[in-house]
Amino acid sequence: MAGILVIAEAAGTGVTRESLETASLAMRLAAAMQQPVCGALLGAGDLANAAAQFQCGFSALLLVESPQLATYVAQQYVAAVQSLIAKVQPAVVLFPHTAKSRDWAPRLAAKIGSGLVLDCVNVTVEQEGVTASKPMYGGGVLAKLVVHGDPALVSVRAGIFECAQLSSGGAVERMELPQLAAHPGIQHLESISIEGAGGQRLKDAKTIISGGRGIGEKDNWHFIVEAAAALGAAVGCSRPVADAGWVSSSSQVGLSGALVAPDIYIAVGISGAIQHLAGISSAKTVIAINNDPEADIFKRADYGVVDDFKEVLPAFVERIKQLRS
Amino acid sequence: MNIVVTIKQVEDPATPPSHMVLGASGKSVQSVSGVPRVMNGYDANAVEEALRLKEKHGGKVTVVSLGDSSARNTLKRAIAMGADSCVLLSDPQWELLDSFGTATVLAAAIRKIGNVDLVLCGRQASDSDAGQVLYWLAEMREFPVASPIVKIEESSADALVVHSLLEEEYQRLSVKLPALLGISSEINEPRQPSPKGTVTATRTMVPTWNAAALAVGPLTCKVDMTKLEIQIRTGKAELIEGADGAARGRALADKLHQLELL
Ligand SMILES: Cc1cc2nc3c(=O)[nH]c(=O)nc-3n(C[C@H](O)[C@H](O)[C@H](O)COP(=O)(O)OP(=O)(O)OC[C@H]3O[C@@H](n4cnc5c(N)ncnc54)[C@H](O)[C@@H]3O)c2cc1C
């Protein structure tokens, strides 16, 4: 087995940013290994446009296009990736770390007996073999892990690498999705979509304002919503807020939520636990509003205001409106 | 309903990196100043959910933990919460297992317990953040698996209806038992041990199963740790000054405007 297989996720009519980031790590790793990179795209709709965006100088680009991928069913993804591996025979498979891949990849690893490391911030080739760098302990510790297996499987955290440049490569080839019998143990009844609280996909948002436990109660959440509307920002939250049900879990930022990469991230009433900070490592400018001057968020933030958010936020929003008009 | 919950004892996830040190091998991390270790948060949610299912359907909740002898404390906490029995899985050769190795041991323990209808695991451990053991375990036991589960909507003796979280949707799934679920924190608020439970826990003898007891041979890891590094953050925000909160809020807006950020 040789070379790298990089698997992209299609989104709408294009390809996700995380996919392009993963491709750039793949190209870097390929240069070190002096081996080729083969690309692959999975999606439900017509992948022609996504395929045009996912041209990163691959030796070949394989498209697995099937309406059966429209609803996420783990077995379909496992089967699709397994058939890609059978065709390409790669030494390493890279893919973005997403809600889907954190579910299908461990199933695949267990099925084929391959080593897998999820949510990595780098992959290198060392004397011992393919080595993944992975944050542990919520982000307080960085581990180096040698990944064994044919192939070694690694998912890549969003927001760490630049997107790969467009560059022409080898032929585009379509592959059939293997036909699967329904899994006898699990039946998909229904998908219930979650309204994004800010009406904007958190991961793509340029500005995000997030509220934490310091907001105090659900009845105070309007402070965050109003500020978001005035700023044109997406709404995020910390885990206690999602756990309490003030907003849905899809708005949660952090290790077990969304990894975001906005130009501006405003954290209100958030203490700055490492698990939360893990989600904003790619934010360009971080602003914190917190009444505790010792809060850890001020170690990550670029600018901070120490005070009650109920005093700070409305005045901040009013002034922004004035400045913009 | 015969339920097994897998639980892990971890360093308190609230410990800041500045209070962590590397263990002697350089491949583990511990807290300084004797911060007590705790039950992994998602595992506490799994214990709670198991107890609720037992309250509804009857049956038995068994908690198992792979760890050193100190993991007894975490098993006893689960007993104090209301679990019926517990087993410690411990052997010197299991010290640095990866997800595959851990799942191999857990699968052998579940086989030995026998007649299991449902296995609940936390969706991931807060130390390794690996999020894989439950899937390897499900594959080894040939159980259907779903994770992360934020709600069990319906339960009967042979099937469950659960909500699994994806990025922008919940999936409602019907899962036939026996099965395995990865439990997430949205699902419940774990109960505190009752006084009576605490007494029971104190009296509980924790049985230990080692490699020989489980007939588990030597394990070769699929993932080997070569190095750990503690990452300490030292930055400091520029604090915006002003007469009162409102003035500081306005000054923050001015600052961001001046920097052309907003
Ligand atoms: C495995 C694992 C995964 C996790 N994943 C995530 C994750 O994805 N995302 C996440 O966020 N957390 C996650 N956590 C939880 C994390 O450890 C913290 O518990 C959580 O981030 C704390 O949320 P918080 O900052 O809102 O609350 P707290 O830590 O309680 O902080 C509240 C803050 O609000 C401030 N405050 C209070 N009142 C006011 C006021 N009137 N005005 C201004 N400020 C005020 C306080 O000073 C305090 O700093 C995870 C934990 C584990 C163990």
Side-chain angles (χ1 to χ4, degrees):
Chain A
M1 296 196 145
I4 299 169
L5 170 64
V6 54
I7 301 173
E9 275 182 28
T13 57
V15 65
T16 61
R17 173 171 59 84
E18 301 94 288
S19 299
L20 293 168
E21 292 171 4
T22 305
S24 85
L25 171 61
M27 297 315 280
R28 207 184 286 202
L29 187 62
M33 292 168 70
Q34 299 188 314
Q35 289 180 13
V37 181
C38 178
L41 242 171
L42 302 182
D46 177 5
L47 294 179
N49 195 46
Q53 288 179 22
F54 199 55
Q55 287 286 345
C56 311
F58 303 133
S59 59
L61 179 59
L62 305 173
L63 308 185
V64 184
E65 197 177 82
S66 163
Q68 275 163 289
L69 292 173
T71 301
Y72 174 74
V73 175
Q75 286 73 25
Q76 293 285 2
Y77 275 76
V78 170
V81 176
Q82 225 182 333
S83 67
L84 286 168
I85 289 172
K87 180 167 173 77
V88 179
Q89 301 275 314
V92 185
V93 184
L94 298 181
F95 41 94
H97 187 66
T98 66
K100 286 178 189 155
S101 70
R102 78 174 171 221
D103 184 62
W104 64 252
R107 293 172 193 262
L108 172 70
K111 195 163 181 202
I112 65 176
S114 265
L116 161 71
V117 185
L118 293 173
D119 204 13
C120 296
V121 296
N122 201 7
V123 183
T124 52
V125 189
E126 318 262 326
Q127 228 165 12
E128 299 91 341
V130 176
T131 303
S133 301
K134 173 179 167 69
M136 290 185 172
Y137 292 84
V141 174
L142 189 68
K144 289 221 164 175
L145 303 163
V146 178
V147 197
H148 307 290
D150 284 319
L153 308 172
V154 181
S155 79
V156 180
R157 180 174 286 198
I160 306 289
F161 297 95
E162 295 290 314
C163 289
Q165 296 293 321
L166 264 185
S167 144
S168 59
V172 177
E173 193 181 320
R174 279 168 209 275
M175 277 179 61
E176 290 294 316
L177 183 68
Q179 283 300 316
L180 279 186
H183 191 279
I186 295 206
Q187 194 193 344
H188 175 266
L189 303 175
E190 177 185 16
S191 294
I192 307 166
S193 63
I194 305 168
E195 283 289 308
Q200 219 176 323
R201 204 170 164 248
L202 266 184
K203 284 186 174 175
D204 293 330
K206 291 281 170 225
T207 310
I208 296 174
I209 178 163
S210 283
R213 179 146 50 197
I215 299 305
E217 52 184 324
K218 192 175 182 180
D219 285 348
N220 287 339
W221 193 253
H222 67 92
F223 280 94
I224 299 293
V225 175
E226 283 156 18
L231 295 166
V235 172
C237 70
S238 67
R239 196 174 96 179
V241 168
D243 284 353
W246 299 351
V247 291
S248 82
S249 296
S250 65
S251 301
Q252 182 177 317
V253 172
L255 183 68
S256 49
L259 303 176
V260 298
D263 293 335
I264 301 177
Y265 185 82
I266 308 177
V268 187
I270 291 179
S271 62
I274 39 181
Q275 293 89 354
H276 187 81
L277 300 184
I280 60 168
S281 56
S282 308
K284 290 207 183 86
T285 302
V286 175
I287 295 157
I289 302 175
N290 195 305
N291 61 3
D292 175 8
E294 300 300 321
D296 281 333
I297 189 73
F298 291 120
K299 293 192 184 141
R300 170 63 177 90
D302 301 283
Y303 302 99
V305 177
V306 180
D307 216 319
D308 188 341
F309 76 92
K310 286 191 214 113
E311 306 290 322
V312 180
L313 210 47
F316 171 70
V317 167
E318 271 317 302
R319 185 76 183 137
I320 290 284
K321 284 186 187 159
Q322 276 174 11
L323 290 168
R324 282 188 172 170
S325 65
Chain B
M1 200 178 277
N2 204 355
I3 307 173
V4 171
V5 186
T6 63
I7 63 180
K8 183 177 189 184
Q9 178 163 289
V10 294
E11 297 299 331
D12 188 335
T15 312
S18 56
H19 288 61
M20 294 177 184
V21 288
L22 292 183
S25 64
K27 294 182 180 179
S28 66
V29 169
Q30 58 209 39
S31 308
V32 293
S33 71
V35 183
R37 297 206 272 167
V38 297
M39 189 187 303
N40 179 46
Y42 295 122
D43 300 349
N45 296 111
V47 171
E48 174 63 37
E49 206 57 27
L51 295 174
R52 290 183 189 189
L53 286 170
K54 184 186 110 173
E55 281 154 13
K56 208 161 147 198
H57 299 283
K60 189 175 173 207
V61 175
T62 307
V63 286
V64 299
S65 185
L66 170 58
D68 62 22
S69 59
S70 77
R72 284 202 173 84
N73 297 333
T74 288
L75 286 167
K76 287 192 171 203
R77 184 172 173 89
I79 296 286
M81 286 171 75
D84 300 285
S85 66
C86 64
V87 187
L88 175 67
L89 313 174
S90 198
D91 197 296
Q93 54 179 297
W94 294 342
E95 242 162 58
L96 284 172
L97 291 184
D98 63 354
S99 303
F100 154 75
T102 305
T104 306
V105 175
L106 292 171
I110 288 166
R111 196 170 299 124
K112 189 170 158 104
I113 291 166
N115 283 322
V116 174
D117 300 307
L118 180 64
V119 179
L120 299 183
C121 306
R123 63 183 277 191
Q124 73 185 50
S126 62
D127 50 3
S128 62
D129 288 332
Q132 291 191 42
V133 167
L134 66 113
Y135 293 101
W136 286 89
L137 182 53
E139 177 71 26
M140 290 169 187
R141 298 294 301 136
E142 295 178 20
F143 282 3
V145 51
S147 179
I149 300 303
V150 296
K151 185 174 181 177
I152 297 182
E153 183 187 297
E154 270 175 48
S155 55
S156 70
D158 52 13
L160 305 173
V161 176
V162 300
H163 292 200
S164 180
L165 180 66
L166 271 182
E167 200 155 81
E168 287 169 323
E169 67 184 40
Y170 296 106
Q171 290 196 330
R172 269 181 82 232
L173 306 171
S174 162
V175 183
K176 240 165 84 181
L177 301 181
L180 190 153
L181 301 177
I183 300 295
S184 191
S185 55
E186 294 90 337
I187 199 165
N188 60 38
E189 179 75 41
R191 70 191 65 184
Q192 293 302 315
S194 67
K196 185 167 160 260
T198 309
V199 173
T200 312
T202 322
R203 292 198 190 125
T204 300
M205 295 290 290
V206 179
T208 304
W209 294 347
N210 62 12
L214 288 175
V216 173
L219 294 164
T220 310
C221 288
K222 312 258 180 207
V223 172
D224 273 312
M225 184 185 292
T226 51
K227 196 173 159 212
L228 279 184
E229 215 176 83
I230 295 172
Q231 314 239 295
I232 297 178
R233 205 179 278 285
T234 51
K236 193 80 197 116
E238 175 184 332
L239 296 182
I240 308 291
E241 300 300 338
D244 56 18
R248 274 171 248 172
R250 284 190 293 274
L252 175 65
D254 289 336
K255 179 88 193 182
L256 299 182
H257 188 70
Q258 185 195 328
L259 293 168
E260 295 179 5
L261 286 173
L262 280 179

